[in-house]
Amino acid sequence: MSLVTLESAKLHLRVDSSDEDALIAVYITAAEQSAVSLLDRGVYVDGTALTAAKAAAPGALETASAAYDAAIEAAQAMTDDALQAAATQTAENAWLKACVTHRQTMDGMVVNEAIKAAVLLIVGSLYTQREDVVVGVSVEQLPNGAEWLLAPYRVYA
């Protein structure tokens, strides 16, 4: 489930028609991914979703640990040193990713109004600036933007 609804994004953008709903939905998804990435923690729509994610996290980490052990054992059985090193690195990367995901889940939080506002600011920017380059317009980032709204909730791990 999305942190920001299509309806609230369209209200923010002052869009009345449904002609661009699919495009705005893409922007919402991208904005949410960007905000959550910057926060470096899980963000959930409600307490129930957060509780469920935290309850599932230890099992997921245990599964990842078992997969890591099996992958390391398989790598050690390889006779080619280059293949063994590659397989070991792949196993270690998967294990580290699982550890990060576990930490992000355990540091998770329920979405709040500041996060929703940041997502809407990002959606507005994506909607207004549809290209990487702006020609013939003076552009300046406004103070107190999305990063400013997200900063108090960011995890520095």
Side-chain angles (χ1 to χ4, degrees):
M1 176 174 256
S2 187
L3 304 176
V4 171
T5 65
L6 177 63
E7 293 74 26
S8 64
K10 287 173 67 172
L11 180 64
H12 175 75
L13 298 172
R14 309 278 195 272
V15 173
D16 294 327
S17 72
S18 60
D19 295 346
E20 297 182 307
D21 283 4
L23 178 64
I24 295 169
V26 168
Y27 292 158
I28 292 169
T29 301
E32 289 175 351
Q33 289 171 347
S34 178
V36 169
S37 177
L38 180 69
L39 292 172
D40 197 20
R41 68 192 316 169
V43 180
Y44 301 89
V45 294
D46 56 31
T48 303
L50 175 59
T51 301
K54 284 186 174 186
L61 191 59
E62 189 174 312
T63 300
S65 179
Y68 171 77
D69 291 342
I72 292 297
E73 186 176 323
Q76 290 172 345
M78 295 178 175
T79 56
D80 184 299
D81 288 345
L83 291 177
Q84 184 182 40
T88 300
Q89 185 65 54
T90 299
E92 289 173 356
N93 288 345
W95 169 245
L96 290 173
K97 183 177 179 181
C99 290
V100 169
T101 300
H102 182 266
R103 185 205 38 87
Q104 288 172 333
T105 301
M106 298 312 287
D107 284 341
M109 66 180 287
V110 175
V111 68
N112 60 31
E113 298 306 310
I115 295 170
K116 289 180 184 180
V119 168
L120 290 172
L121 285 174
I122 297 167
V123 168
S125 179
L126 292 171
Y127 184 80
T128 302
Q129 307 299 328
R130 296 181 186 210
E131 304 296 333
D132 280 343
V133 179
V134 179
V135 178
V137 178
S138 176
V139 178
E140 185 176 333
Q141 185 171 353
L142 297 173
N144 304 339
E147 288 184 26
W148 183 79
L149 289 166
L150 295 171
Y153 308 101
R154 186 172 183 188
V155 172
Y156 295 92

